[in-house]
Amino acid sequence: MSTAAGADHGHAHPWYQAHHFKNMEQQNASNKFGMWLFLVQELLFFAGLFMAYASMRYFYPGTWLEAAEQLDKVMGAINTVVLLTSSLTMALGVRAAQLGQNKQVAAWMVATIAGAYGFLIIKYFEYSHKIHVGLLPGKWFGFDELKTTATNAPQIFFSVYFMMTGVHGLHVVIGIGVIFWILFRALRDEFGPENYAAVENVGLYWHLVDLIWIFLFPLLYLVR
Amino acid sequence: MTMLLPLMTASAARAEGGTFWMPKAASTYAQDVDDVFYFIYYTDAVFFAVLMAAMILMAIKYRRKGEAEVTPVIKGNHTLELAWSVFPTFLLVAMFWLGFKGWMNMAVPPADAMEVRVIGQKWNWTYQYPAANIDGVDYPSFEVAGADAACMDRVTDPSRDIECNAALVVPAGKPVKLVMNSRDVLHSFFVPDFRMKRDVIPGRYTQQWFEAPEVGEHNVFCTEYCGDRHGYMYSKVQVKSPADFEAWKLEQHKKAAASGLVSGAELGAQLFASKGCAGCHKIDGTKLVGPWLNGKFGTVEQLEGGATVTIDEGYLRESILVPGAKVVAGYPPSMPPYQGQLDDRQVEGLIEYIKSLK
Amino acid sequence: MSTSTLDGVGHGAPGTSYLNAKSGLMSWLFTIDHKRIGVMYLVTVLSFFLVGGLLALGIRTELLTPAGDVFSAAVYNKLFTLHGAIMVFLVLVPAIPATLGNFLLPLQLGTIDVAFPKLNLLSFHIYLLGAFFLVFTLVTGGVDTGWTFYTPYSSTSADGNVVAALTGAFILGFSSILTGLNFIVTVHKMRAPGVTWLRMPLFVWAIYATSVIQVLATPVIAITLFLLIFEKIVGIGIFDPALGGDPVLFQHFFWFYSHPVVYVMVLPAFGVMSETITVHSRKHIFGYTAIAASSIAIAAVGFIIWGHHMFVSGQSELSGTVFSLLTFAVAIPTAIKLCSWIATLYRGSIQWNSPMLYSLGFLWIFAIGGLTGLFLATLSTDVHFHDTYFVVAHFHYVMMGGVLFALIAGMHHWWPKITGRMFNDKIGRINWVLAFVGYNLTFFPQFVAGSQGMPRRYHQYLPEFQMWNQLSTLGSYLFGLSLFIILAYLLHSIFKGVKAPSNPWGAASLEWQTKSPPVEHNFEADVICTYGPYDYDAHRAAQS
Ligand code: HEA
Ligand code: HEA
Ligand code: CUA
Ligand SMILES: [Cu+2]
């Protein structure tokens, strides 16, 4: 709608204001409110996974203790730091957008994307190690060491692990996509004091992705 | 509706000993359930009649007579609104309470109930009766299952499986407890005449109980969708007089003994030796690698980490298949899981065996 | 509200409306006009209603005789599964919010469009994608899990294309979430000046409450179906007892969404009632605040009563007790609504036309449906009724007789606004008798069959239930016929109907102050709303 020039309706508005909004205030408030609702929705989506985690851990407390040993705590911890840092660079990017400093927005977005890639690369190493030794979900599970101890259902732990980190990882990938979109728009010098809602919303999304990892890390890696 | 009411009530229109709404009441608690039903039913009927009468009468009385008609502005009436919020609340709480009371009664089996194991499997029911000592003779447990071939021959309509499938045989006037589980997917054991129903779940035991005061026959339906022949998963409950029941039971025990087919506890005893259980568990009240297993059933076990658990079928099954899940306090978690090494029948045998150890 | 000056507000040559402002298929499929999107939803939803209905007639035909003679058991199981899945996911969830809701929300709020028009279009496209998967399932062998997808049946032994069906339902969830999100923001941020919270039409309140449920509950079913897809493909073992999982956990997950979703279906229907009953009695609604608040109350309580579907499933006695008690709580706000609508009739000027007749029919049918819910909420009686035809009758009374009667009432009510044509009300009234009688004949006997013990999802049944089933089948044919007649005269009116005036019923709410059909960009200029949607006196004063 933004292409429809305001002029022929008699009331002019900036190009970044969509036609059906009366003013920027309304548009920004709507966008932000919409984003918060989206985040609530995301939280409930993950809540389902957390419930599955809780029930399975309740059924198999012993399994959880033993199987969690197989995860690489160091890599998990590094990844936590990487994501936290990228949240920081994201926040700085939002700040720059509010000030209309598009060059800096771009720079911070590049930094955030780098963090996101860093996270995925580390995750890739973790995953490939698990795939290699057979620490896999469900019927693909093939790690004999755990099979023969008193632990039962270790495959369920890894099912939960892969479902949770997989869905989270998917969110990181989507995050990279939208951050690239912000980067692109920053390079075209689009943001300014009135028009930064997109950056802010992507920022909120990214913080949520980060927040979820902050829960995943202790729940999966640091079981005791 | 209002006019049909007498027709639908308890006294009128008795169909085969039931009422218009309910089939005959053939368990001790069925009449309770029906009483609750009729309480709600009459409450509902009054509300429905009043509301609908008001609606219809007003629709007629205030039917529009001309386009220019002007209506009064009535935005609400607090007294009225309060009345129709509060008054129903009492009735609803009463419904809850009656239902709850009846339900607790249905949920808790009497201590002296005779136990029968019910096993659901696509698409029929199996009933296992425990081993018994009758007149000083030990008889093995036995099970009834499947359809009677001769009967099937006679009945050509497949929907009449119900006539030929093995029936659950119980004595009249004695409480019976069903301990149920499934070998594949979910099923549900429903006896309309008893107002009794409970899901039957794989890997877990559920129970329900009933007491049928009178001799008779009652339909059993599977009410949890379980695939192709869900609609054919019928059986019957045959309530016999106590004397007939004892005679029938003795006959079944004898047949089982004669056939030499081991089942239940005997199978369990064999497995206990052959699967290495005896290497770690003693049955004389002393400790080996693992805890002794005699006299354990029904007691409360202290677990590692402070929790406790009552030893029932579900716990035993889990302890055998997934010992790591709940570890007995004071023992190492060193029992191997038997998941995948024992089939359902074998696990059940072991459980029966452990239950029988005094 | 502001007056006749609103006619003609907007741009474009005189005589154009949103229907003919642009033409060509693409101008529809890629429109971001909420009215066109609403109409597209309406067409697709009704098409799927037709498909689901034909499957239902298949079910009824099989049940004409006790023996399983028309279809094989396998085919029958697929019939009711697809019937249930299509009716719930493709028809009933979007039935009112996405169709009438989309069309009316901005109009009733006096604004140009919903807050996110492009997102709105995206929701529709996602809906089509999800529908594609379900249709794909239908033509590639169906599914036979029941619409509830209970494990371990669905994850192990089910026959047919379970993964495609799950994927379809999963995708449809997102359409529903995005629509809900869009509407919440619209209600909060897009109201025209003067449309205060307490001056919003009750339909808007109902849609608002619905949207809250959609946003909060739908993600949970999404993740549940997602896990189930992986359970099926990889055997992740969370829901399958053979792998160490818990089938009852699946049921909790499933009903955590699928109970609230029944209020997603019925709240908008309540909203329609609040409009049609007041307009066709030309009388201020009785107890506005109570009705608005009860929508929110129903939405809230609806979240904590899911366990009433599982009284016999092996959940603990304590949970059963708590869920039963909480379930009764939902009856009170519903009672408030029902009583308020009936009180609205008092000293009204009641028009006996099709929209009103369907509304009164709704009250009758929904009352039966709701009151029978109480037998199911009661612990000891539910043990007997669970998974029998009593439950089937209960939910058809609330869903088909409730929600879809409301949709039909609403379609008649807003038909002049949507299409700009009047339908033939006389045929409508006569046909209503057929629909009402046919409906009750279809589903009332099922209560009796069910309480006598007939289980649901049975391909055949014992002869003692035969009479009830034959009445039901007969009823379903009559009822199906009446629906086809509705379709026929409504379609006829589009081509041959009399042109509709902008406010044929003399309603006071904002949507009726636009042209029929509205122009493309409704309420382009600011409107100022000065009186409430049910304020017929002020409206009459403003008109003269
Ligand atoms: C639109 C959909 C809809 C609606 C609105 C409802 C409304 C209600 N439902 Fe229903 N229900 C379904 C759709 C719906 N249901 C579906 C689809 C299923 C089955 C799913 C499946 O298994 O496939 C189901 C199943 C179902 C069950 C599970 C049954 C079982 O499987 O064992 C229960 C149990 O509590 C229940 C209860 C209720 C109650 C208490 C209400 C209440 O909201 C009703 C409240 C209304 C009233 C009570 C009437 C008005 C009030 C008065 C007139 C006031 C005075 C009244 C008195 C004091 C008596 N429903
Ligand atoms: C919205 C929900 C909805 C609707 C509308 C219906 C409508 C109907 N349903 Fe259905 N039904 C369900 C939801 C619904 N159902 C669900 C969820 C189940 C459970 C499935 C399961 O167990 O998994 C079920 C199960 C179910 C069963 C139980 C099957 C079993 O357990 O074995 C039966 C049996 O009679 C049945 C019958 C009918 C009939 C006769 C109609 C009739 O009312 C249909 C009439 C409709 C038509 C004949 C089509 C006409 C339409 C048009 C002409 C289109 C245009 C219309 C207009 C413009 C108005 N349904
Ligand atoms: Cu067994 Cu249904
Ligand atoms: Cu429910």
Side-chain angles (χ1 to χ4, degrees):
Chain A
M1 288 218 57
S2 48
T3 51
D8 64 338
H9 314 308
H11 45 249
H13 44 59
W15 64 267
Y16 44 75
Q17 180 186 331
H19 172 72
H20 61 291
F21 289 116
K22 303 278 185 229
N23 49 43
M24 274 315 284
E25 207 182 318
Q26 190 187 28
Q27 170 165 339
N28 281 339
S30 301
N31 284 344
K32 198 155 163 189
F33 188 41
M35 192 63 200
W36 277 107
L37 285 174
F38 182 75
L39 296 186
V40 167
Q41 179 282 128
E42 285 283 336
L43 272 183
L44 279 148
F45 187 76
F46 276 98
L49 284 170
F50 283 110
M51 277 313 293
Y53 172 95
S55 326
M56 290 303 123
R57 181 166 178 179
Y58 173 77
F59 285 132
Y60 305 110
T63 302
W64 245 241
L65 281 170
E66 252 185 275
E69 287 300 314
Q70 299 301 322
L71 299 186
D72 193 327
K73 291 195 179 61
V74 178
M75 288 209 188
I78 296 178
N79 251 348
T80 311
V81 175
V82 169
L83 264 196
L84 276 175
T85 318
S86 78
S87 244
L88 176 69
T89 55
M90 184 44 125
L92 292 168
V94 175
R95 169 120 186 88
Q98 284 167 342
L99 298 174
Q101 301 160 337
N102 277 298
K103 292 244 161 50
Q104 299 191 18
V105 177
W108 288 125
M109 289 307 119
V110 171
T112 313
I113 291 171
Y117 272 118
F119 177 87
L120 287 181
I121 290 168
I122 295 176
K123 215 60 266 136
Y124 166 80
F125 281 119
E126 281 190 75
Y127 273 9
S128 51
H129 168 253
K130 304 228 155 47
I131 293 169
H132 187 70
V133 298
L135 288 167
L136 284 171
K139 65 181 175 208
W140 293 336
F141 188 80
F143 188 70
D144 294 335
E145 212 175 291
L146 275 181
K147 261 190 177 165
T148 49
T149 62
T151 309
N152 184 270
Q155 82 277 6
I156 291 189
F157 178 84
F158 288 95
S159 298
V160 171
Y161 169 81
F162 274 100
M163 293 310 290
M164 292 182 104
T165 55
V167 173
H168 177 261
L170 190 67
H171 278 77
V172 174
V173 172
I174 294 170
I176 292 181
V178 286
I179 298 171
F180 261 116
W181 173 64
I182 294 294
L183 172 61
F184 181 68
R185 289 184 58 183
L187 290 176
R188 296 206 327 195
D189 212 13
E190 285 192 6
F191 300 112
E194 241 199 348
N195 178 32
Y196 60 85
V199 194
E200 197 177 24
N201 282 345
V202 170
L204 284 174
Y205 171 81
W206 192 248
H207 295 323
L208 180 89
V209 172
D210 192 12
L211 181 77
I212 287 169
W213 177 257
I214 306 256
F215 279 99
L216 290 183
F217 176 58
L219 284 177
L220 291 168
Y221 291 74
L222 308 178
V223 180
R224 63 179 73 256
Chain B
M1 259 300 264
T2 0
M3 274 166 50
L4 285 175
L5 224 127
L7 183 78
M8 300 175 181
T9 55
S11 50
R14 295 198 155 257
E16 287 187 32
T19 67
F20 179 83
W21 286 108
M22 288 297 204
K24 64 186 161 222
S27 71
T28 44
Y29 50 63
Q31 197 54 51
D32 286 354
V33 176
D34 291 9
D35 291 345
V36 180
F37 173 84
Y38 281 109
F39 171 72
I40 304 176
Y41 180 72
Y42 286 119
T43 318
D44 275 9
V46 170
F47 271 93
F48 185 76
V50 170
L51 286 174
M52 290 305 120
M55 178 181 95
I56 294 170
L57 292 177
M58 291 201 283
I60 295 171
K61 176 137 191 253
Y62 302 118
R63 184 167 180 181
R64 184 171 298 178
K65 309 205 172 60
E67 275 309 306
E69 234 168 35
V70 175
T71 57
V73 179
I74 306 173
K75 294 197 171 168
N77 176 326
H78 288 299
T79 325
L80 204 56
E81 286 174 55
L82 201 66
W84 67 49
S85 319
V86 174
F87 179 52
T89 309
F90 290 111
L91 289 163
L92 294 170
V93 170
M95 289 176 195
F96 162 75
W97 181 247
L98 292 174
F100 169 68
K101 262 189 5 207
W103 192 60
M104 283 322 275
N105 179 28
M106 293 155 82
V108 185
D112 61 338
M114 168 187 134
E115 189 179 309
V116 181
R117 288 270 292 105
V118 175
I119 295 155
Q121 189 170 18
K122 287 191 245 174
W123 285 279
N124 54 45
W125 298 101
T126 302
Y127 308 106
Q128 289 181 346
Y129 293 73
N133 182 301
I134 302 172
D135 300 330
V137 186
D138 273 326
Y139 290 104
S141 63
F142 65 88
E143 65 178 39
V144 286
D148 176 348
C151 167
M152 290 293 269
D153 232 28
R154 221 172 49 244
V155 182
T156 47
D157 178 356
S159 72
R160 305 307 294 178
D161 280 9
I162 190 166
E163 304 299 339
C164 313
N165 281 356
L168 169 66
V169 182
V170 297
K174 284 212 181 117
V176 178
K177 174 168 112 182
L178 306 179
V179 178
M180 313 187 292
N181 82 330
S182 159
R183 292 219 169 111
D184 37 49
V185 298
L186 301 176
H187 304 276
S188 190
F189 193 84
F190 175 36
V191 187
D193 294 352
F194 295 169
R195 317 285 186 266
M196 176 182 91
K197 178 186 293 128
R198 193 98 193 169
D199 278 10
V200 178
I201 305 172
R204 170 189 299 208
Y205 293 84
T206 51
Q207 27 171 288
Q208 56 184 352
W209 76 277
F210 63 90
E211 181 183 328
E214 274 164 42
V215 172
E217 250 193 2
H218 309 282
N219 294 337
V220 175
F221 299 128
C222 173
T223 43
E224 188 62 80
Y225 176 67
C226 54
D228 244 20
R229 288 183 68 81
H230 159 66
Y232 299 78
M233 193 162 160
Y234 288 128
S235 180
K236 288 220 170 204
V237 180
Q238 240 170 51
V239 185
K240 293 188 191 269
S241 71
D244 287 355
F245 175 76
E246 289 307 323
W248 173 85
K249 200 174 141 207
L250 186 62
E251 192 192 331
Q252 299 299 318
H253 277 310
K254 282 185 174 152
K255 259 199 223 156
S259 74
L261 261 181
V262 284
S263 68
E266 291 85 277
L267 177 65
Q270 286 177 10
L271 290 167
F272 199 77
S274 66
K275 291 282 177 183
C277 318
C280 297
H281 294 285
K282 297 194 97 176
I283 52 171
D284 58 1
T286 59
K287 198 171 154 173
L288 206 58
V289 183
W292 63 93
L293 292 178
N294 54 320
K296 285 266 170 139
F297 190 79
T299 62
V300 174
E301 187 71 89
Q302 197 68 39
L303 296 181
E304 201 66 64
T308 56
V309 61
T310 308
I311 301 189
D312 58 7
E313 290 90 354
Y315 171 73
L316 286 179
R317 163 179 285 268
E318 187 185 48
S319 294
I320 297 168
L321 296 176
V322 197
K326 298 198 180 71
V327 178
V328 184
Y331 292 90
S334 56
M335 172 166 164
Y338 282 83
Q339 184 96 286
Q341 303 180 34
L342 297 169
D343 68 25
D344 233 44
R345 206 174 53 92
Q346 294 173 315
V347 175
E348 266 147 27
L350 280 167
I351 294 173
E352 284 313 312
Y353 173 65
I354 294 172
K355 278 166 78 172
S356 73
L357 297 170
K358 288 291 167 307
Chain C
M1 315 207 160
S2 268
T3 53
S4 50
T5 49
L6 292 179
D7 270 41
V9 165
H11 57 184
T16 60
S17 71
Y18 80 98
L19 288 171
N20 57 17
K22 299 196 178 76
S23 62
L25 187 62
M26 290 301 142
S27 79
W28 280 89
L29 282 179
F30 293 97
T31 180
I32 51 173
D33 180 353
H34 67 99
K35 298 182 288 305
R36 285 192 162 201
I37 294 178
V39 170
M40 288 195 293
Y41 266 117
L42 190 63
V43 172
T44 22
V45 163
L46 288 179
S47 318
F48 285 116
F49 177 45
L50 177 62
V51 176
L54 293 177
L55 294 170
L57 295 183
I59 297 177
R60 285 306 339 156
T61 305
E62 170 63 71
L63 297 178
L64 194 55
T65 57
D69 38 17
V70 181
F71 302 107
S72 68
V75 171
Y76 179 82
N77 294 341
K78 290 174 181 175
L79 281 181
F80 72 70
T81 301
L82 285 160
H83 165 68
I86 288 179
M87 285 299 196
V88 171
F89 296 117
L90 288 178
V91 180
L92 225 49
V93 172
I96 296 179
T99 60
L100 296 177
N102 250 321
F103 191 90
L104 292 171
L105 199 61
L107 291 178
Q108 293 194 326
L109 294 176
T111 178
I112 304 180
D113 209 318
V114 294
F116 309 114
K118 286 182 200 153
L119 190 67
N120 201 14
L121 177 65
L122 181 67
S123 306
F124 179 66
H125 289 165
I126 296 178
Y127 172 80
L128 288 185
L129 182 67
F132 166 79
F133 272 95
L134 282 188
V135 172
F136 179 75
T137 315
L138 182 71
V139 298
T140 54
V143 263
D144 74 338
T145 58
W147 82 280
T148 47
F149 296 116
Y150 274 14
T151 54
Y153 185 75
S154 60
S155 60
T156 55
S157 23
D159 168 15
N161 210 335
V162 187
V163 172
L166 291 171
T167 312
F170 176 74
I171 294 172
L172 286 167
F174 288 101
S175 164
S176 172
I177 295 173
L178 295 178
T179 304
L181 188 155
N182 213 337
F183 286 178
I184 296 180
V185 179
T186 307
V187 170
H188 273 267
K189 303 289 181 202
M190 304 295 284
R191 281 171 287 132
V195 185
T196 58
W197 282 93
L198 291 183
R199 234 188 242 161
M200 296 195 311
L202 287 164
F203 181 73
V204 176
W205 271 105
I207 294 285
Y208 180 73
T210 307
S211 303
V212 172
I213 310 181
Q214 282 178 309
V215 170
L216 295 182
T218 320
V220 178
I221 194 73
I223 192 68
T224 307
L225 296 174
F226 188 76
L227 289 174
L228 185 53
I229 291 171
F230 280 87
E231 184 81 61
K232 178 89 189 163
I233 302 176
V234 192
I236 53 173
I238 293 174
F239 300 133
D240 183 352
L243 301 168
D246 182 3
V248 181
L249 181 68
F250 176 82
Q251 298 174 23
H252 279 296
F253 270 51
F254 182 83
W255 292 114
F256 181 82
Y257 164 76
S258 295
H259 181 76
V261 87
V262 308
Y263 299 114
V264 166
M265 306 169 188
V266 88
L267 282 173
F270 292 164
V272 172
M273 284 305 113
S274 301
E275 301 299 309
T276 52
I277 290 179
T278 47
V279 170
H280 297 282
S281 323
R282 194 163 302 162
K283 183 146 170 297
H284 195 286
I285 188 92
F286 186 98
Y288 175 94
T289 339
I291 297 186
S294 61
S295 287
I296 304 293
I298 292 174
V301 179
F303 271 103
I304 45 175
I305 63 180
W306 76 88
H308 67 207
H309 295 270
M310 301 167 58
F311 288 151
V312 304
S313 73
Q315 69 177 352
S316 74
E317 258 84 51
L318 178 67
S319 346
T321 309
V322 174
F323 281 125
S324 164
L325 185 60
L326 292 173
T327 301
F328 284 102
V330 95
I332 296 160
T334 319
I336 294 176
K337 280 180 189 287
L338 213 60
C339 295
S340 301
W341 292 322
I342 292 178
T344 303
L345 299 177
Y346 176 65
R347 298 184 60 195
S349 165
I350 299 165
Q351 228 169 349
W352 286 29
N353 56 8
S354 316
M356 191 59 172
L357 288 175
Y358 279 102
S359 305
L360 299 181
F362 169 95
L363 296 185
W364 173 285
I365 293 171
F366 183 79
I368 297 184
L371 291 169
T372 50
L374 300 176
F375 294 100
L376 304 175
T378 304
L379 288 160
S380 65
T381 44
D382 183 65
V383 169
H384 181 63
F385 291 134
H386 175 73
D387 271 350
T388 64
Y389 263 80
F390 194 91
V391 176
V392 174
H394 157 70
F395 69 69
H396 282 94
Y397 259 84
V398 279
M399 301 210 294
M400 173 66 235
V403 184
L404 282 171
F405 258 56
L407 175 66
I408 294 173
M411 271 170 63
H412 282 83
H413 181 69
W414 282 293
W415 195 253
K417 185 57 52 191
I418 296 174
T419 64
R421 302 287 177 152
M422 301 301 287
F423 52 86
N424 185 331
D425 193 52
K426 187 159 180 209
I427 301 186
R429 287 195 305 264
I430 297 171
N431 183 54
W432 175 84
V433 177
L434 181 63
F436 186 74
V437 171
Y439 177 81
N440 284 288
L441 188 58
T442 312
F443 294 109
F444 198 82
Q446 295 186 359
F447 281 122
V448 189
S451 64
Q452 288 290 347
M454 177 166 164
R456 63 192 278 205
R457 298 172 171 176
Y458 264 33
H459 169 230
Q460 50 74 56
Y461 53 87
L462 297 183
E464 52 254 45
F465 305 122
Q466 184 167 8
M467 180 173 85
W468 305 117
N469 277 288
Q470 289 183 336
L471 288 175
S472 176
T473 302
L474 174 67
S476 72
Y477 294 159
L478 295 179
F479 183 51
L481 175 67
S482 73
L483 291 173
F484 277 104
I485 294 175
I486 298 181
L487 185 63
Y489 71 73
L490 287 184
L491 282 180
H492 178 263
S493 79
I494 293 182
F495 304 104
K496 294 276 164 63
V498 185
K499 280 216 162 40
S502 65
N503 193 354
W505 321 121
S509 50
L510 273 180
E511 81 271 27
W512 293 104
Q513 318 311 324
T514 62
K515 279 184 180 167
S516 291
V519 294
E520 193 183 9
H521 290 208
N522 31 271
F523 299 118
E524 181 92 62
D526 281 355
V527 283
I528 309 223
C529 171
T530 52
Y531 52 87
Y534 309 111
D535 211 344
Y536 294 94
D537 282 355
H539 179 64
R540 204 174 304 109
Q543 293 292 328
S544 54

